[in-house]
Amino acid sequence: MFFSQAALSWLGVLLQERFGHEFILVHENNSLRLHHSTAVGQIIFDNLFAAFHQSSSDFPCREWNAEAEGYQPAIDDLIPVPGLAALPSRLIEHKEQGTVIHYDILGLTYWMLSRLEEVGRTDLDNHQRFPAASSHAYKHGYLERPIVDEWLHILGQVIQEVWPQLVLKQHQFSMRVSHDVDAPSQYGFKSWSMIARMMAGHLLKRHDIKSFVTAPYVKLATRTQLNSADPYNTFDWLMDVSEANNLKSAFYFICGGNHPNDGEYQPEHPVIRNLMRRIHQRGHEIGLHPSYGTYQNPELIKQEAERLHAVMQKEGIIQNVLGGRMHYLRWEQPTTLQAWNDAGMSYETTLSYADRPGFRCGTCFEYQAFNPVTQKILDIRIRPLIAMECTVIDSVYLGLGITDNAQNKFLELKDKCRKLGGCFTLLWHNSYFDEQKAFKQIYKRCIEG
């Protein structure tokens, strides 16, 4: 048996969220039958794929021409078909017993959204992350396609054929922007010895007199609030841009850790408390950015979540929803996911690859989380991250630089989300505006409209 009863229940929840109707899934032998809760008829998936229930990236992938069989693709005529070594003469057939789909669409949905592919993997990068380069999606060229959404788009058309009386839920494109606060100030929380070394670098290596003078000034001025001369103090500008586009920014704060990659600030510091209060007063969101060493340690994630709660409570900040993202996008599936759930968080938005942008979960829709090891539906929701600025721009990753190519990559991904009525999620650090004008122009272009 491929699907547990819990997995079938979870898939039912996902289908109801997507289509706005209650469906019943029945597993019989090597097939899966989809029934509507009140209408007569069925859709049969008669070719279930065992690899969609394993932690593996080693299986074939073909392409299916949707229009050739009379279906309207969302993005491109040719849709990747992970798992099939050869295509049948027709992928979708109308038979006496019901409409038969000779492809395991729901198995693909389960495998991608549960991130079962990543469980127990050892082919990790230098930060112990499962990289895009190891994924089936990257190897077969569909990482920049919301593959699950594309197939559910086709399934929606089959549903309309089988149950033409049903009015399916329509989704509207949206966008979410978030900012990991790794460094709220370039100089304010550094030691004077570090400031001296930075000043020497500004003067002797870069001949940058302005930064040479700014460093000690900002250090001295950062006592109860960030200084306007601080290059990393882009918070009000980010909120201005979000408000101009009817968006809310989410700012995720580090609340612990002692690794060199962790933040140099404490959330209880008056500067950070004032910053949080200002963000809240302007109607934007505060969230958690668990420290570098927490991704395998549920207790630490819980402690840091409680620390953030305590600071927010002291500042009178009340949010109905509290979520965030892992520092450095470090993630171990399902350990990290379960930890977020057990810490009582509302949502989690780590799941993008550091080395390549795109659809790590195969979707641009938020969804209920599922633990593929315990086979349990979780309370927390996953908001897939589609693009992080340094993933697209930095030379160690995609390396497109501050160019039209980088801007176009962001806009291409955004357009794919728009075509499916999904959500384009963008991460841009407050400290990633070194070349102020060029960086800000790209950022503003990405979130307009």
Side-chain angles (χ1 to χ4, degrees):
M1 182 172 181
F2 290 111
F3 293 100
S4 69
Q5 190 55 51
L8 292 179
S9 296
W10 178 57
L11 288 170
V13 170
L14 299 178
L15 292 177
Q16 185 167 7
E17 285 192 358
R18 187 60 59 94
F19 298 121
H21 290 270
E22 184 179 351
F23 294 95
I24 300 167
L25 289 165
V26 179
H27 196 292
E28 294 181 357
N29 299 320
N30 192 36
S31 68
L32 194 61
R33 296 171 185 265
L34 180 69
H35 302 269
H36 189 265
S37 57
T38 60
V40 176
Q42 65 176 344
I43 298 171
I44 304 167
F45 303 90
D46 70 343
N47 187 20
L48 304 190
F49 186 46
F52 288 155
H53 303 268
Q54 301 168 7
S55 178
S56 172
S57 304
D58 187 20
F59 51 84
C61 185
R62 293 293 178 266
E63 290 183 322
W64 175 64
N65 191 319
E67 286 199 337
E69 290 197 28
Y71 293 93
Q72 185 62 46
I75 292 175
D76 190 272
D77 287 353
L78 297 178
I79 304 178
V81 191
L84 288 192
L87 294 175
S89 57
R90 285 194 65 84
L91 197 72
I92 302 172
E93 292 187 288
H94 302 286
K95 296 187 176 182
E96 186 176 342
Q97 69 269 33
T99 296
V100 180
I101 301 177
H102 303 300
Y103 180 55
D104 193 2
I105 295 176
L106 297 183
L108 172 70
T109 301
Y110 170 79
W111 183 72
M112 288 294 294
L113 269 59
S114 72
R115 300 313 302 135
L116 179 59
E117 178 184 18
E118 303 180 25
V119 175
R121 296 292 286 262
T122 58
D123 46 342
L124 309 177
D125 69 8
N126 60 324
H127 291 289
Q128 297 302 295
R129 301 172 298 200
F130 180 66
S134 294
S135 71
H136 188 273
Y138 178 78
K139 292 176 180 178
H140 291 274
Y142 64 88
L143 178 58
E144 293 185 14
R145 301 274 295 267
I147 186 69
V148 169
D149 300 333
E150 291 187 63
W151 275 109
L152 292 181
H153 179 73
I154 297 298
L155 178 58
Q157 294 172 59
V158 177
I159 288 172
Q160 294 267 244
E161 290 176 343
V162 175
W163 299 291
Q165 72 275 27
L166 299 184
V167 177
L168 301 187
K169 183 178 181 180
Q170 299 298 307
H171 298 272
Q172 298 296 319
F173 170 74
S174 62
M175 182 171 178
R176 292 185 184 273
V177 291
S178 54
H179 319 282
D180 294 349
V181 187
D182 298 347
S185 171
Q186 186 168 12
Y187 307 110
F189 298 99
K190 294 188 182 300
S191 66
W192 277 109
S193 59
M194 177 57 73
I195 294 292
R197 287 195 290 272
M198 295 176 76
M199 290 173 68
H202 290 322
L203 185 64
L204 302 176
K205 291 183 179 179
R206 291 175 288 279
H207 307 293
D208 185 348
I209 301 297
K210 181 181 178 182
S211 294
F212 175 79
V213 174
T214 299
Y217 169 72
V218 168
K219 170 65 176 174
L220 287 168
T222 307
R223 297 187 181 278
T224 61
Q225 60 185 6
L226 294 171
N227 187 269
S228 59
D230 194 326
Y232 290 179
N233 182 15
T234 58
F235 297 96
D236 283 308
W237 181 84
L238 287 167
M239 289 187 281
D240 289 342
V241 175
S242 285
E243 289 163 12
N245 290 277
N246 297 312
L247 298 172
K248 287 186 178 181
S249 278
F251 298 90
Y252 302 140
F253 288 88
I254 295 175
C255 293
N258 54 15
H259 190 276
N261 289 334
D262 284 323
E264 298 170 320
Y265 65 94
Q266 303 300 322
E268 297 85 2
H269 193 285
V271 168
I272 304 303
R273 290 173 63 174
N274 283 334
L275 174 59
M276 287 185 184
R277 190 164 59 247
R278 189 165 80 251
I279 290 168
H280 179 67
Q281 288 171 346
R282 291 189 60 168
H284 298 270
E285 181 187 342
I286 293 163
L288 181 66
H289 196 40
S291 56
Y292 187 81
T294 61
Y295 76 113
Q296 294 175 314
N297 193 323
E299 186 56 37
L300 284 180
I301 290 178
K302 184 179 180 181
Q303 288 175 12
E304 294 185 10
E306 290 173 347
R307 190 176 178 186
L308 178 62
H309 271 293
V311 174
M312 292 172 67
Q313 187 174 25
K314 287 178 181 178
E315 294 303 320
I317 298 171
I318 299 173
Q319 287 184 181
N320 295 327
V321 172
L322 188 64
R325 177 183 297 113
M326 295 302 295
H327 194 30
Y328 275 73
L329 304 187
R330 297 187 96 197
W331 188 269
E332 182 180 87
Q333 182 69 350
T335 307
T336 315
L337 175 63
Q338 188 69 51
W340 276 83
N341 182 81
D342 295 348
M345 304 299 282
S346 307
Y347 72 87
E348 209 296 324
T349 184
T350 296
L351 287 172
S352 184
Y353 294 113
D355 51 330
R356 289 294 184 275
F359 302 88
R360 180 171 177 171
C361 301
T363 182
C364 52
F365 285 82
E366 179 181 311
Y367 62 94
Q368 197 76 29
F370 184 82
N371 186 323
V373 173
T374 64
Q375 290 289 297
K376 290 184 177 180
I377 302 173
L378 303 181
D379 294 326
I380 195 166
R381 296 183 67 80
I382 292 175
R383 291 181 182 173
L385 173 63
I386 309 305
M388 175 170 67
E389 88 282 67
C390 54
T391 298
V392 173
I393 293 170
D394 284 5
S395 59
V396 294
Y397 297 133
L398 193 58
L400 297 182
I402 306 301
T403 64
D404 289 343
N405 288 337
Q407 179 173 286
N408 290 338
K409 179 60 66 178
F410 290 119
L411 295 178
E412 286 169 13
L413 293 166
K414 181 178 179 180
D415 186 58
K416 289 172 183 175
C417 298
R418 188 189 303 276
K419 287 179 177 178
L420 283 149
C423 181
F424 177 59
T425 51
L426 174 66
L427 160 58
W428 202 293
H429 295 76
N430 64 285
S431 52
Y432 204 88
F433 291 96
D434 289 347
E435 297 175 21
Q436 294 284 329
K437 187 175 181 180
F439 277 82
K440 287 185 173 181
Q441 284 178 342
I442 290 179
Y443 179 78
K444 288 177 72 175
R445 181 68 186 91
C446 286
I447 71 171
E448 289 173 351

